[in-house]
Amino acid sequence: MKEILPAYNLLYISAFLACVLLIISFDIKKVYYKKYDFLVGCFIIIGLTYLFGSRDFSVGTDTPRYLMAFQFIWRTDSFSEAIISPFVARDPYFNGISYLFSKVVDIRGYFYVLAFLLVAPLFCAAYRMTNVNRSLVLVAFMSLFCIPNFGVNIMRNGLSLSFAILAITYLKDNKLKIGIAIASISVAFHLSSIVIFFMYVLSSFIKNKWYVLPVFFGSIFLALLKKGLKDLPIIGGIVRNQERLMAYNQEGGGISSLPLSYLLMHLATVAFALYLSTVIKDKFYHKLTITYMLLSSFYFLTSTMAFSYRFGILAWVLTPIILIYPLMTYRIFKRFQFTKLLGVIFVLALFSLYILNI
């Protein structure tokens, strides 16, 4: 991933500065330049698509696997044979989608298509979340440390989670048919995203967000003791029978632990969400707060697995929305609303750099 980080950081800084100009006009002059905002958003989408799509095939630990998978699928004329590609065997629907792409693009075009499908849903989600400063939503996502990894290594996870975020924006507005359809695409790209939708639906039945706190802190306590889902009564037996879950631990060759930086990120985000959810009284934000806490608890309980970050990202991708949605939607601050929002994004970016040890 470090091969693309210099270019990624340059793109991020450029987009960030472009948003500064937009925020100054909106926050101080009270003028919103819609076309400028749209152009900045297009600049981000095109820049990320080119950056991820044009990377060398040797960049990234997972890139060679996607390369071999596409070449295998491209050589076969049988759809049924394509979906059982041994290179991406765990997600046959992803192979099916790749098979359709293989009929119209070559391998380079395939990577461009995947890169575009990674960022385009976020652009659409930004348009559904707010009427102003939509490019700032994309900058917030770019601030998250796992986004470059989505474009290079864990691409199926990234695609799945981008569509999951878009699906949530439709479910939020009770557009169930479209939301469920997009959620199905999300799960088709990677099965793990079903956990997000399960937690989001579960949050609808939890009226008091404070009831989730014992679960949240209890899972942290177990994680610090290096205990997890597989050690819990009843649930542990179910987990141990899940081949895919246990494969992560076996592939890692050992027991992992909960990084302090990740723990601090979850604690800070939950504290922020709990406070603002009591201020704005927004039903969607209430559900989002509970969903994030449940997903965080799930991550803590899987942190003993060597590849636990694959479960952590289920919560991490919601962090930008947790931080910016209430500031985008409500006049919490009487003056300089978006300037303060820019500060939140800047802090998120600095923390991401700390986690990456850059």
Side-chain angles (χ1 to χ4, degrees):
M1 189 176 67
K2 290 186 179 295
E3 289 89 342
I4 71 160
L5 278 179
Y8 183 88
N9 291 336
L10 179 61
L11 177 63
Y12 171 77
I13 292 172
S14 300
F16 188 89
L17 293 177
C19 283
V20 169
L21 298 177
L22 184 66
I23 285 174
I24 289 175
S25 67
F26 185 80
D27 213 16
I28 298 178
K29 293 185 177 181
K30 307 302 179 184
V31 177
Y32 170 55
Y33 296 102
K34 185 177 181 179
K35 291 184 179 179
Y36 177 84
D37 189 17
F38 177 76
L39 289 175
V40 174
C42 289
F43 166 73
I44 295 173
I45 296 299
I46 294 172
L48 289 177
T49 300
Y50 178 77
L51 177 62
F52 295 147
S54 64
R55 72 183 188 277
D56 191 89
F57 293 143
S58 62
V59 174
T61 55
D62 288 349
T63 301
R65 177 178 295 180
Y66 287 109
L67 179 62
M68 290 185 292
F70 183 83
Q71 290 173 336
F72 174 85
I73 292 171
W74 180 73
R75 292 191 189 101
T76 180
D77 292 325
S78 171
F79 179 80
S80 59
E81 185 178 349
I83 62 175
I84 58 173
S85 165
F87 303 101
V88 192
R90 292 175 178 169
D91 293 290
Y93 295 107
F94 177 81
N95 291 332
I97 295 171
S98 299
Y99 176 80
L100 297 177
F101 290 152
S102 70
K103 301 305 176 184
V104 293
V105 296
D106 59 10
I107 182 61
R108 178 56 68 187
Y110 175 64
F111 275 88
Y112 276 124
V113 168
L114 292 182
F116 178 76
L117 290 178
L118 171 65
V119 294
L122 298 179
F123 193 37
C124 297
Y127 264 73
R128 295 191 52 76
M129 284 176 55
T130 179
N131 295 321
V132 294
N133 290 67
R134 288 155 169 162
S135 58
L136 193 60
V137 179
L138 295 177
V139 171
F141 278 106
M142 286 187 68
S143 301
L144 200 59
F145 67 95
C146 56
I147 297 298
N149 218 351
F150 286 162
V152 175
N153 289 320
I154 48 176
M155 295 175 64
R156 284 176 295 137
N157 298 73
L159 290 165
S160 176
L161 294 173
S162 289
F163 278 97
I165 291 170
L166 180 59
I168 287 175
T169 64
Y170 279 97
L171 296 175
K172 163 185 174 292
D173 296 331
N174 291 321
K175 296 185 177 181
L176 298 182
K177 291 183 179 179
I178 300 178
I180 292 174
I182 298 175
S184 300
I185 296 174
S186 171
V187 175
F189 274 123
H190 202 278
L191 188 61
S192 62
S193 64
I194 199 170
V195 178
I196 291 183
F197 299 116
F198 175 78
M199 298 303 187
Y200 185 77
V201 172
L202 182 60
S203 69
S204 303
F205 299 96
I206 303 175
K207 302 303 180 183
N208 192 328
K209 57 183 176 292
W210 302 105
Y211 291 164
V212 189
L213 273 181
V215 176
F216 178 77
F217 284 110
S219 62
I220 293 176
F221 178 72
L222 289 174
L224 294 176
L225 293 178
K226 294 199 173 184
K227 301 293 183 181
L229 283 177
K230 65 182 185 299
D231 301 304
L232 296 177
I234 302 176
I235 296 177
I238 299 174
V239 170
R240 285 191 292 271
N241 289 325
Q242 294 297 313
E243 181 181 350
R244 185 162 185 172
L245 269 176
M246 297 310 297
Y248 288 131
N249 193 47
Q250 293 170 1
E251 290 171 7
I255 298 299
S256 183
S257 59
L258 178 62
L260 177 61
S261 56
Y262 293 175
L263 175 58
L264 292 175
M265 178 178 69
H266 283 270
L267 288 172
T269 305
V270 167
F272 185 92
L274 287 175
Y275 170 72
L276 285 186
S277 63
T278 61
V279 173
I280 63 176
K281 305 296 183 183
D282 182 284
K283 184 178 180 181
F284 171 67
Y285 196 69
H286 171 83
K287 292 179 63 176
L288 202 62
T289 300
I290 294 175
T291 301
Y292 182 85
M293 293 172 68
L294 292 173
L295 289 171
S296 297
S297 301
F298 181 76
Y299 163 59
F300 296 146
L301 291 174
T302 57
S303 62
T304 55
M305 296 182 180
F307 291 96
S308 60
Y309 69 89
R310 299 187 185 184
F311 303 109
I313 58 176
L314 301 177
W316 299 338
V317 294
L318 296 182
T319 304
I321 305 178
I322 290 285
L323 296 180
I324 68 177
Y325 174 80
L327 300 181
M328 280 285 190
T329 311
Y330 297 92
R331 282 308 282 193
I332 297 174
F333 304 109
K334 293 182 179 180
R335 297 185 62 189
F336 307 129
Q337 168 90 341
F338 287 102
T339 302
K340 291 179 174 63
L341 175 57
L342 199 66
V344 170
I345 293 174
F346 183 66
V347 170
L348 177 62
L350 289 179
F351 192 76
S352 294
L353 292 177
Y354 164 71
I355 290 178
L356 288 170
N357 294 317
I358 298 175

